[in-house]
Amino acid sequence: VYARFGDDPFPAVAEQLRARLAGQLAEVQADRVAVVTHMVQFREQLFHKSHPGWRFCQAFIGHAALGELARADERVVLSVCGHTHAASQHQLGRLRAVCSPLGYRSEWMGRPDDEAVARGVALVEV
């Protein structure tokens, strides 16, 4: 049911990801910025299920500090993420947060390939 991994590596990895994004944002010289990460950046993008193991798994879906960086930088108007297979679009103040996954073929619910791909594509303007 539970696993202990010894010294918890997650805070150190999370800090590396946060620091890397902060450095990248500092280098960008643009009026409008899109932040693209693999990990989910905002709690609003999490999909909740009643399955008991789901809450445990959600601890590994995203990294809120990445979203905090995006929200803090007034130039960031778009956030795109992946990792989860649940599509979502949220307007968070000036920032639009989009997750538009293709997912696994088994998740396409029998849709033809072209329809499944069309559902996994999102057109966004920056």
Side-chain angles (χ1 to χ4, degrees):
V1 174
Y2 298 99
R4 179 166 169 81
F5 298 104
D7 291 335
D8 187 355
F10 297 112
V13 171
E15 175 52 28
Q16 286 178 338
L17 294 172
R18 191 209 61 75
R20 193 157 121 199
L21 179 58
Q24 291 168 339
L25 285 171
E27 291 178 12
V28 172
Q29 295 184 11
D31 295 334
R32 296 166 61 106
V33 176
V35 170
V36 180
T37 63
H38 176 78
M39 303 299 282
V40 174
Q41 301 169 41
F42 305 101
R43 290 185 185 277
E44 292 87 345
Q45 292 178 294
L46 296 178
F47 180 74
H48 301 282
K49 292 183 183 179
S50 59
H51 185 275
W54 189 253
R55 285 180 44 204
F56 174 78
C57 292
Q58 282 199 319
F60 304 97
I61 290 176
H63 185 15
L66 300 178
E68 291 167 7
L69 284 172
R71 285 185 202 240
D73 189 323
E74 292 291 325
R75 301 170 303 154
V76 177
V77 295
L78 175 66
S79 161
V80 179
C81 74
H83 195 67
T84 181
H85 295 196
S88 66
Q89 293 197 37
H90 298 277
Q91 193 66 44
L92 306 173
R94 72 176 187 293
L95 192 148
R96 183 174 175 198
V98 176
C99 181
S100 186
L102 181 57
Y104 298 117
R105 183 178 292 272
S106 62
E107 297 170 324
W108 295 358
M109 298 178 208
R111 291 184 182 94
D113 292 357
D114 58 344
E115 183 182 329
V117 170
R119 291 175 60 93
V121 173
L123 176 63
V124 293
E125 288 186 39
V126 177

